[in-house]
Amino acid sequence: MNTTSSFPVATLKAHIVLNVHDVAAATEFYGRMFGIQPCKVRTGYAKFDVQNPPLNLTLNQIPFNERGALSHLGIQVVSTEDVLAVRERWTCAGLATAGTVALEAANNALGCVPGSGCC
């Protein structure tokens, strides 16, 4: 497999699509998480154009009975101070974070707790 490209590709941001049971509840949750409103909303669909971190997050309301392959979503940040600042912002917004502060600080990452309203 050739891993080089014959033309340059500019990467804009990650694109994640999540299937959710209730798009309104998920939209409210992610709006609080990122501190923005979705840029596009229609029945059973919402799209967030997040600038920091660069992310295109799309929510699709699709009936499903089993848990998907996604375990959790996280955001990697530069420093432990950033972990603590974002964790405080999320806590003030009423969101649960995964793991302990020590684990998060060691990895400079924050995660969403599955079943806490994010899915």
Side-chain angles (χ1 to χ4, degrees), residues 3 19 21 25 27-28 32 49 54 67 80 84 88 107 113-114 116 119:
T3 59
N19 293 333
H21 289 290
T27 298
E28 194 271 331
R32 288 189 294 144
D49 185 16
R67 192 174 194 184
T80 300
L84 298 174
E88 181 178 351
N107 294 317
V113 178
S116 68
C119 307

Side-chain angles (χ1 to χ4, degrees), residues 45-65:
Y45 174 91
K47 176 182 171 185
F48 289 89
D49 185 16
V50 183
Q51 298 305 308
N52 186 14
L55 174 66
N56 175 334
L57 175 67
T58 301
L59 307 170
N60 288 318
Q61 185 168 312
I62 296 177
F64 57 94
N65 294 325

